[in-house]
Amino acid sequence: MQIYGMKVITLPREVSQTRGRFFFSEARSKACREKSADVIVPYHELIWEGQNLIKARVNECYLMEERMQKISTQGDNCPQKSRTASNEYVGVQTFIGITENNLTEVSLKRDDLFEQMLSPSNLNKAYKQVISNKGSGGVDKMEVEELLPWLLKNKETLINSLRNGTYCPNPARRVEIPKGNGKTRSLGIPTLVDRFVQQAISQVLTPIYELEFRDNSYGFRPNRSCHEALRRAQSYITDGYRYCVDLDLEKFFDTVNHSRLIELLSKKIKDRGLISLIHKYLRAGVQTGGKIEETQQGVPQGSPLSPLLGNIMLNELDKELERRGHAFVRYADDWAQRMREAPD
């Protein structure tokens, strides 16, 4: 399935086109109401016809309501700081090249992270991940099954607003969930569109920072798990580290310093547009009971970006502990430091 890529196909017979709109068979209409990504994904195709790209929504049977997420085209309307389009983003290629009768994807420069984020393959992957994660909607009440029709209708506007710096993220929806100790954990649930964009950002940045993260870190990293963290802890015990000091940073995700985080990101990421977009998400605010609150610190748990941003911050402590020669295991914001002798 491709949302932002192109595939040349022939329209199935049960689809007829009238003035740019499509009508579907009852079988397709029934299938489109299913929420499973396995149902939604296979039937969507894009059709190349002359110089126009026509979307064939074989599995879609309803129109999006106008209440869904709006995209600002005026940077002044966004309370977060808008970025100024730099020379690198003027006249960028559109990812699609035509050689004779074939469609080909245009290659990207490795250092142009913003355009890598907007590449068809990365956006398709982000969409599939958001769909597979499921979850409840954000402040705009858009549900998972409504994301695909929204993207098809607003794709170009979304990409243009991201590229020219006028995109304005919505506040996250504040949710309190119970913890085992009787307390609650605050989550910030972004809208489906913002989860889609954040997932696309995370997919571009994760390979870069995976090269920086320490081997003692296991939380929210690809191909790592809590079981591997336990095995590492067991290996320390086998090596004679009989004592353990547990460290837990209280409300870490709620108290991350934005300035320090942006400083760390800027040391590695030189794409100012991408840094600015991340900063907008940090300052997007949260909505609690109909009231929007500013977020001057913290990375709300519940978004695709927060685990990566948290690890980027905590990696600094990992490096310091490693520099001092400590044996430790970290999973997210929980550490287990191992010692051969009892602490004083």
Side-chain angles (χ1 to χ4, degrees):
M1 187 282 274
Q2 292 184 323
I3 297 176
Y4 290 87
M6 297 183 183
K7 185 177 180 181
V8 179
I9 64 169
T10 302
L11 278 173
R13 290 184 178 180
E14 67 256 38
V15 181
S16 62
Q17 182 183 1
T18 304
R19 294 185 180 179
R21 300 188 62 180
F22 295 99
F23 300 87
F24 314 104
S25 67
E26 179 61 29
R28 296 301 192 209
S29 298
K30 181 178 181 180
C32 82
R33 288 189 290 268
E34 299 293 332
K35 295 184 179 181
S36 169
D38 291 333
V39 175
I40 293 176
V41 167
Y43 294 109
H44 172 71
E45 300 288 358
L46 295 173
I47 303 168
W48 184 260
E49 181 176 283
Q51 296 183 351
N52 299 317
L53 182 63
I54 300 176
K55 307 177 187 71
R57 300 293 313 293
V58 178
N59 65 313
E60 188 50 56
C61 59
Y62 58 88
L63 297 175
M64 293 296 296
E65 299 179 13
E66 291 302 321
R67 64 175 172 79
M68 299 305 179
Q69 176 159 342
K70 305 295 191 300
I71 302 177
S72 172
T73 58
Q74 300 295 328
D76 294 340
N77 294 334
C78 186
Q80 301 90 346
K81 182 180 180 181
S82 297
R83 74 179 179 95
T84 301
S86 60
N87 292 335
E88 290 80 2
Y89 300 109
V90 176
V92 293
Q93 49 81 20
T94 59
F95 300 108
I96 298 299
I98 305 177
T99 304
E100 295 182 354
N101 295 323
N102 299 320
L103 298 177
T104 59
E105 184 172 333
V106 178
S107 61
L108 295 168
K109 296 181 180 179
R110 293 178 59 86
D111 59 347
D112 198 346
L113 293 179
F114 206 90
E115 294 303 320
Q116 289 185 38
M117 181 196 76
L118 296 178
S119 69
S121 59
N122 189 58
L123 293 176
N124 286 329
K125 182 179 178 182
Y127 166 78
K128 291 180 181 179
Q129 187 62 53
V130 170
I131 290 298
S132 65
N133 289 343
K134 299 181 180 180
S136 58
V139 296
D140 64 351
K141 297 181 174 58
M142 181 192 294
E143 298 299 333
V144 172
E145 67 270 20
E146 297 172 302
L147 177 59
L148 179 59
W150 190 95
L151 289 174
L152 291 170
K153 180 180 179 181
N154 299 280
K155 177 187 71 172
E156 296 301 330
T157 305
L158 174 62
I159 290 180
N160 289 336
S161 65
L162 287 168
R163 185 171 283 143
N164 63 31
T166 59
Y167 181 75
C168 187
N170 276 310
R173 180 170 62 88
R174 176 68 77 198
V175 176
E176 300 289 338
I177 62 172
K179 298 172 63 175
N181 57 7
K183 299 181 180 180
T184 61
R185 173 181 287 111
S186 296
L187 300 182
I189 310 299
T191 65
L192 266 296
V193 176
D194 284 327
R195 268 143 61 185
F196 168 68
V197 176
Q198 288 191 38
Q199 181 64 35
I201 298 172
S202 178
Q203 290 168 182
V204 170
L205 296 187
T206 295
I208 296 173
Y209 281 100
E210 275 298 305
L211 300 176
E212 302 289 322
F213 292 156
R214 270 27 193 183
D215 194 46
N216 306 65
S217 166
Y218 291 89
F220 306 114
R221 294 181 59 187
N223 304 316
R224 289 183 168 233
S225 67
C226 57
H227 297 93
E228 291 179 289
L230 291 172
R231 284 193 288 269
R232 170 60 73 89
Q234 181 62 50
S235 70
Y236 283 136
I237 297 174
T238 303
D239 292 340
Y241 293 86
R242 297 185 299 134
Y243 299 93
C244 176
V245 178
D246 287 331
L247 298 89
D248 182 17
L249 298 180
E250 185 177 5
K251 295 185 177 180
F252 164 74
F253 286 95
D254 296 330
T255 57
V256 168
N257 185 285
H258 289 174
S259 297
R260 177 57 176 160
L261 177 56
I262 293 298
E263 179 186 353
L264 291 174
L265 286 168
S266 299
K267 288 181 179 179
K268 191 71 178 177
I269 307 302
K270 303 305 179 182
D271 191 314
R272 290 176 295 173
L274 194 56
I275 295 293
S276 178
L277 180 58
I278 294 173
H279 197 194
K280 283 185 178 182
Y281 274 115
L282 293 175
R283 300 298 302 274
V286 294
Q287 180 174 301
T288 305
K291 181 181 179 181
I292 298 177
E293 303 173 1
E294 293 184 359
T295 47
Q296 298 181 354
Q297 63 178 0
V299 285
Q301 297 183 75
S303 72
L305 260 182
S306 62
L308 175 61
L309 297 180
N311 272 333
I312 291 172
M313 286 288 288
L314 296 173
N315 190 52
E316 297 301 297
L317 181 54
D318 290 347
K319 291 190 290 186
E320 181 61 23
L321 292 175
E322 192 176 82
R323 187 185 68 81
R324 298 186 183 190
H326 293 302
F328 67 95
V329 178
R330 179 173 69 84
Y331 194 93
D333 56 346
D334 293 309
W335 277 267
Q337 182 176 328
R338 300 293 171 171
M339 307 178 71
R340 295 184 187 273
E341 298 179 358
D344 296 332

